[in-house]
Amino acid sequence: MGRSVWISALTTGGFCAAFAYGIQLIAIEFSELAVLAVSGLSGFLGSLVASILWSRR
């Protein structure tokens, strides 16, 4: 695998971890549907951020 694949994956993972931590601080209790929605949003945004950060380099 190429180096850029690893960097992109680590960036996505780091964003998702930070996003989940932020949601944990805000939300006390989510329903199952809300957890699925937040998880999907986290993955989508993490991938988008990684693409934006590393596509120019």
Side-chain angles (χ1 to χ4, degrees):
M1 279 189 257
R3 182 177 170 188
S4 64
V5 171
W6 287 103
I7 292 173
S8 181
L10 289 172
T11 304
T12 301
F15 179 86
C16 289
F19 190 84
Y21 181 73
I23 293 299
Q24 177 190 5
L25 294 176
I26 295 170
I28 297 172
E29 185 176 329
F30 275 166
S31 68
E32 289 180 23
L33 184 58
V35 170
L36 288 174
V38 168
S39 298
L41 181 63
S42 175
F44 173 79
L45 291 176
S47 179
L48 186 64
V49 166
S51 295
I52 291 169
L53 287 176
W54 301 113
S55 67
R56 297 180 186 175
R57 297 187 176 149

